[in-house]
Amino acid sequence: MTVTKKYHVGVSYANEDQDIVKSVVKALESVGLTVFFDQKEATRLVGKNLTYTLPEIYRNCCEYCLMFVSNSYVSKKWTTYERDWLLDKRIELQRDDIFTDCIIPVFIDRMDMPGLNPGIVGFDIRKQSADDIARIMYEKIAGSESHMTAEPLSLETVFNKVLAAVEDLLTKQSTCPYQTDRLSEYDVVVHLSAEDNDYFLRLVLEEPLHGLLKIAQGEVFMPQQEWIWDAEAYLEDGQLQFINYNLTPEFPGLPHPYTVEKLCKAVMQKVSDFVKEYPHV
């Protein structure tokens, strides 16, 4: 993809609509798009004056912005500010003869908004699913549907795909109690409990350059700070390289070309094995 800004997509919304927004954000991330979602940027935004910070992010850091249009979005004072910032950005780009489809409405319970040209094509959440929106946005950004199977270009994408796959598995196929602890944006621990046994899976991108994705898994028997990494992955010339220590039985200890899909399956297999061990839970 030719996008050069930090985020492929930003989202502007009213808090009343956050459940819909979260489902769309999750779908966007599952196809490999980076998303600015304020609820995932709490650390970065603490102490900032949002009156200045958010316009800068929307204008300079996001290639596209999905504006979730609803009665709540139109009526609230703060989202009116956000709407004005975004529409001003569109006017500036149009004045400079740059593409003007950077603001894309997602209509929730109304199909119009003050200041938004009624001819602009957007999404209708009543007719299109979160997955539909994600697929179309990916095709728009990537340039063609054929890129959907291409290797993601960042470890952030790999991280989000693996985490989304695990959460989907636990949500749809498991009755085993679990809890997700997000230590930071790219440091997540999934805890699973069954009787007297506690199982964990940890995914973390190494700071500060996110040059390495680390994976730890197993039963809890040590202090949390004494993590033993079972696998590591990194990108080299656009190819995901996988180093296995104790996650799978194949080629231990040596870097090996891998696909994101195969990595997801390997991690999900470990989670699935634990869930199957306690089918009565």
Side-chain angles (χ1 to χ4, degrees), residues 17 78 104 108 137 147 172 227-228 263:
D17 305 317
W78 181 260
I104 301 174
I108 297 178
M137 287 304 301
H147 289 89
K172 293 181 178 179
W227 295 100
I228 296 177
L263 180 57

Side-chain angles (χ1 to χ4, degrees), residues 1-3 8 33 136-148:
M1 288 183 285
T2 58
V3 175
H8 295 113
L33 299 180
I136 293 171
M137 287 304 301
Y138 190 100
E139 292 175 12
K140 182 177 181 65
I141 293 171
S144 72
E145 186 175 2
S146 63
H147 289 89
M148 288 294 289

Side-chain angles (χ1 to χ4, degrees), residues 29-96:
E29 292 179 337
S30 73
V31 299
L33 299 180
T34 54
V35 184
F36 173 75
F37 182 34
D38 58 356
Q39 293 189 23
K40 292 187 175 183
E41 301 279 352
T43 301
R44 177 183 177 184
L45 296 178
V46 166
K48 300 287 187 180
N49 185 334
L50 297 185
T51 304
Y52 302 106
T53 301
L54 288 181
E56 179 183 355
I57 292 173
Y58 288 132
R59 290 169 182 262
N60 301 322
C61 299
C62 301
E63 196 75 14
Y64 295 90
C65 186
L66 294 180
M67 180 187 292
F68 288 78
V69 180
S70 67
N71 290 318
S72 297
Y73 188 88
V74 171
S75 63
K76 298 184 72 174
K77 184 176 181 179
W78 181 260
T79 49
T80 297
Y81 290 150
E82 288 195 10
R83 177 195 71 192
D84 292 342
W85 300 334
L86 293 169
L87 295 180
D88 285 348
K89 173 184 176 179
R90 192 173 191 277
I91 293 172
E92 288 177 6
L93 293 176
Q94 189 172 26
R95 184 186 306 122
D96 296 333

Side-chain angles (χ1 to χ4, degrees), residues 3-19:
V3 175
T4 58
K5 294 185 177 180
K6 181 175 182 179
Y7 302 100
H8 295 113
V9 183
V11 293
S12 176
Y13 65 99
N15 285 334
E16 289 81 356
D17 305 317
Q18 62 177 303
D19 289 344

